[in-house]
Amino acid sequence: MHEGVSKGLIFDIQGHSIHDGPGTRTLVFLSGCPLRCAWCSNPEGLVLQPQLMYKPRLCKDCPARCVPGCPKGAARQSENGGSHILFDRVLCDSCDTMECVKVCYMRALQTSGKWYAVDELMRLFNRDRCYWGPEGGITLTGGEPLLQQEFVLNLLARCHDAGIAACVETSAYVPRTVLLAALPCIQWLFIDLKHMDSGRHRQGTGVPNELILDNLRWISRTNWPGRLVVRTPVVPGFNDTVANAEATAEFLAEIGLSEINLLPFHRLGASKYGQLGMSYEYAEQPAVGQEALEALAAVYREKAITCHLGSDTPF
Ligand code: SF4
Ligand code: SF4
């Protein structure tokens, strides 16, 4: 399934973004992530493999072509009648042809994730370039954009040579060598810091936080001339406590960083869990209120850390 290092798996490309770096930017969402945050809003980007997505509301007036169309027998009609289809996701996991998508004329079945060569992306960036303005460029996000390391380092080097400003949004749960190779080609870094307690971090994301903290410490000591903004998704019941905000502020001060961006938890990705056949732990979780966010922001500001809320980070 993998195309090797010559191509990268990308699950979305969005133009005209103004929230993830300065100016107007083209966002590239790379597939695959070593973390498993239970609140993730991009579940279609978790694994490094194209994903089958099923949208039942589009599935109608069709003789269920996908059922005989699946060579693995993974698709079957619901016993409750109607034209809704059930998919055996274990069998689907090993599928690399997605024949069912080809026979679904209603587009109820779609593939998330497409392999791109660096040249294809460079052509796309050159097309978008006239909309970016002097400050804009590209932002690589995901998933974890640095996971497909050889492809991404190649892409970043090409952008650098072409004078395209690059921003990367990463968990920093990556080897130091990858950051070392990427930094000279990056102008902006957003690094997610989800919890200061390593045990709680592991509970919420599936991995401990030591590597992330070490990488943050290391970057802050380098002479890298770009701008680093730490981002924390504020997740109810996980990290929305004053104690965690205080510990995070102390850590930032200790390593010489002076700004943070708090992003309130939202459920905008909820419908995608159903489309992927996944359950969503946060399906009923209300969003974080502005008052609660302001209370956390006050903790940072008391410790002289500039705190941006939501998409209000000044670029
Ligand atoms: S998923 Fe597509 S091919 Fe299958 S029954 Fe629905 S509309 Fe038809
Ligand atoms: S993705 Fe592959 S295995 Fe799954 S239903 Fe479609 S054709 Fe069958």
Side-chain angles (χ1 to χ4, degrees), residues 85-100:
I85 306 298
L86 302 174
F87 294 91
D88 181 328
R89 292 286 175 167
V90 176
L91 292 175
C92 280
D93 265 359
S94 60
C95 177
D96 59 6
T97 60
M98 296 211 177
E99 296 297 329
C100 60

Side-chain angles (χ1 to χ4, degrees), residues 53-56 58-68 75 77 82-85 87 100-110:
M53 298 186 83
Y54 173 54
K55 300 181 178 181
L58 299 177
C59 176
K60 55 192 173 191
D61 304 328
C62 172
R65 280 180 290 266
C66 55
V67 174
Q77 273 184 295
S83 60
H84 283 194
I85 306 298
F87 294 91
C100 60
V101 175
K102 296 174 193 161
V103 299
C104 179
Y105 305 142
M106 310 302 292
R107 289 193 46 80
L109 292 173
Q110 296 175 24

Side-chain angles (χ1 to χ4, degrees), residues 231-243:
R231 277 183 156 172
T232 296
V234 179
V235 181
F238 173 64
N239 62 2
D240 57 340
T241 62
V242 167

Side-chain angles (χ1 to χ4, degrees), residues 214-274:
D214 281 353
N215 278 332
L216 272 165
R217 269 190 208 98
W218 172 76
I219 293 171
S220 68
R221 283 200 306 264
T222 66
N223 292 323
W224 177 63
R227 183 167 164 195
L228 166 59
V229 177
V230 169
R231 277 183 156 172
T232 296
V234 179
V235 181
F238 173 64
N239 62 2
D240 57 340
T241 62
V242 167
N244 188 57
E246 284 178 343
T248 307
E250 276 164 28
F251 173 72
L252 295 183
E254 174 199 317
I255 64 173
L257 296 179
S258 58
E259 65 178 331
I260 190 165
N261 181 198
L262 300 184
L263 298 170
F265 161 82
H266 61 74
R267 290 184 304 192
L268 296 179
S271 63
K272 294 188 281 189
Y273 280 83

Side-chain angles (χ1 to χ4, degrees), residues 269-286:
S271 63
K272 294 188 281 189
Y273 280 83
Q275 293 167 16
L276 290 159
M278 297 167 69
S279 58
Y280 184 38
E281 195 180 310
Y282 284 80
E284 305 299 326
Q285 179 67 56

